[in-house]
């Protein structure tokens, strides 16, 4: 496989000139994971691996490193589909220390786009579909405790957050055909031009088609070509590789950690009925039995209608479900010719005849940021973590020592250490500048100690001459989004929203319409006598 641009070179080419950022990228090796999708009756779930990626962005202030942004992405891989789930994103509010010129596009939005693009490019295959999935919900803080107390942190509202994520994914869509160096192609396939189809889907429960389209980036709404790639109030769940419209609805909805769709699916799974173990699974259609299907929800459309009434989607704030699907030409041709990949084509073991449809096992969250209430004190020493180098840890048979396409600048930790580092992050404090600098230094140093590398990460110096962003730049990400304020926290009005007052023609009195049959009297329009019609008398 030809090596594509590194993450460092991609960031340097896209960030503002002469601006310096310190990047720390750590990940876990691909490890076996519970399947994202429930298996149809009579089949076992797909074999799935998961790897976690965590990106921390810092700046240097008075010889101190201060974290300003962090993003976590979970990557699930099966034989036919690679799913990138944007798990968490947050900022501390200290990006204003860069003193960016007013109107500069947000570097945090640029970093998010580049990082997701880099992960997508590194895992594209000629025979495998890729999808980026995220759930946009506005919160005060996700990853940096106490950061909401920082006056410089601006939390986006629900609508602004969904718009921000749409603007993050738009460059990812545009980059799908910009280069093909990341595609793993056979020599025969390299002779043909490789084209990847990219489409975006957005669902905002309780919003109609017109309202959902208003969340798209402005330049997308103005361009028919770009707008054709965006699909409001739709989802790709039926059309993903390895899925089929004939599957039960519960087999089409992925189960991500800390996702409202997953919680709703778990509740609906309680409706599944299990026939006696000694009875056959085949039921007469006249009895209305639907093996492996819910009783109350009969379609995906009904599922989304009910999602709008869930507490997380109806608590007075809007939430957005966003997908970006990348389909290589070879997969596109196969899907058009024969439809979704039949289940029989996939390497799966059929369950013994007569077994009941299995309810999905509880989803085990991959190494990620655990809830704060389940944490142990990060300051307490752990005997298992003392003096052990990650390279000496035993690993499961058949697992690679590092993720595919791992870079020299990326730090790879076993899942055990990755979880410990995330627990530590949730026990730090970012309420003010001094405390945030101390917490940042501690987190970075502890990761290095855990991995046996004192100095890790890399510095990026921006090389791009930036154009002023009329929509307000210099904003920062918080609660998985950014605010739409300028670098100095002042709202700027888009020039397209300004309307000039109509000039009065020479010789016309103020308020004069200039239309025939009207006159003025002190600036008041008076209807001409010839235009007055009397009501005819009725004898």
């Amino acid at each position: 496989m030809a090596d594509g641009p590194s993450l460092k070179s991609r960031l340097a080419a896209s960030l503002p000139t002469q601006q310096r950022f310190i990047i720390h990228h750590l990940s876990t090796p691909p490890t076996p994971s519970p399947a994202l999708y429930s298996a149809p009756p009579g089949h076992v779930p797909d074999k799935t691996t998961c790897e976690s990626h965590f990106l921390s962005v810092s700046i240097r202030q008075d010889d101190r490193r201060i974290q300003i942004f962090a993003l976590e992405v979970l990557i699930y891989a099966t034989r036919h589909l690679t799913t990138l789930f944007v798990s968490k994103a947050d900022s501390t509010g200290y990006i204003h220390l860069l003193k960016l010129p007013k109107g500069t596009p947000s570097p945090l939005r640029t970093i998010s786009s580049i990082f997701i693009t880099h992960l997508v490019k590194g895992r594209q295959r000629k025979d495998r579909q890729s999808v980026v999935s995220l759930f946009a919900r506005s919160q005060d803080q996700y990853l940096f405790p106490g950061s909401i107390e920082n006056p410089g942190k601006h939390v986006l509202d629900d609508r602004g957050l969904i718009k921000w994520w749409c603007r993050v994914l738009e460059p990812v869509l545009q980059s799908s055909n910009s280069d093909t160096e990341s595609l793993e192609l056979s020599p025969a396939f390299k002779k043909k031009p490789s084209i990847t189809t990219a489409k975006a889907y957005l669902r905002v429960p309780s919003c109609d088609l017109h309202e959902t389209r208003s969340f798209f980036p402005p330049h997308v709404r103005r361009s028919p070509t770009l707008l054709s790639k965006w699909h409001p109030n739709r989802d790709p769940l039926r059309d993903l590789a390895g899925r089929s419209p004939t599957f039960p609805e519960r087999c089409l909805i992925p189960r991500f950690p800390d996702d409202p769709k997953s919680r709703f699916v778990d509740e609906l799974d309680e409706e599944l009925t299990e026939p006696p173990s000694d009875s056959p699974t085949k039921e007469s259609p006249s009895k209305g039995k639907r093996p492996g299907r819910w009783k109350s929800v009969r379609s995906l459309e009904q599922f989304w209608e009910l999602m709008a009434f869930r507490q997380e989607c109806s608590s007075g704030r809007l939430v957005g479900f966003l997908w970006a699907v990348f389909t290589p030409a070879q997969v596109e041709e196969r899907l058009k010719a024969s439809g979704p990949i039949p289940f029989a084509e996939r390497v799966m073991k059929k369950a013994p005849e007569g077994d009941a449809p299995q309810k999905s096992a509880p989803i085990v969250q991959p190494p990620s940021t655990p809830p704060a209430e389940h944490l142990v004190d990060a300051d307490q020493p752990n005997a298992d973590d003392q003096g052990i180098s990650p390279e000496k840890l035993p690993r499961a048979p058949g697992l690679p020592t590092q993720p595919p396409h791992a870079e020299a600048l990326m730090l790879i930790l076993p899942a055990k250490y990755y979880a410990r580092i995330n627990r530590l992050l949730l026990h730090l404090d970012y309420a003010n500048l001094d405390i945030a600098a101390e917490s940042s230094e501690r987190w970075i140093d502890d990761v290095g100690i855990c991995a046996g590398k004192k100095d890790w990460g890399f510095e990026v110096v921006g090389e791009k001459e930036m154009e002023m962003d009329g929509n307000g730049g210099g904003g920062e990400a918080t609660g998985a989004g950014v605010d739409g304020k300028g670098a100095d926290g002042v709202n700027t009005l888009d020039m397209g929203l300004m309307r000039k007052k109509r000039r009065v023609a020479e010789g016309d009195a103020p308020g004069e319409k200039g239309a025939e049959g009207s006159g003025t009297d002190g600036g008041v329009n008076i209807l001409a006598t010839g235009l007055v019609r009397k009501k005819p008398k009725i004898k």
Side-chain angles (χ1 to χ4, degrees), residues 467-489:
E467 297 179 0
M468 295 300 102
D469 190 348
N471 293 323
E476 65 194 57
T478 172
V482 298
D483 66 346
K485 297 187 178 182
D488 56 356

Side-chain angles (χ1 to χ4, degrees), residues 137-155:
R137 176 179 56 190
S138 181
Q139 295 286 349
D140 291 341
Q141 57 194 26
Y142 272 118
L143 294 171
F144 298 109
S147 58
I148 190 59
E149 300 178 19
N150 172 24
K153 180 172 182 174
H154 305 288
V155 180

Side-chain angles (χ1 to χ4, degrees), residues 67-85:
Q67 289 174 293
I68 61 173
F69 180 67
L71 176 68
E72 184 180 46
V73 179
L74 310 179
I75 303 179
Y76 299 88
T78 64
R79 184 183 178 188
H80 295 291
L81 183 65
T82 300
T83 304
L84 294 87
F85 176 61

Side-chain angles (χ1 to χ4, degrees), residues 41 44 68 152 240 347 391 420 472 486-488 500 510:
V44 297
I68 61 173
L240 294 179
V347 181
E391 289 79 4
R420 178 178 180 270
D488 56 356
K500 294 182 179 180

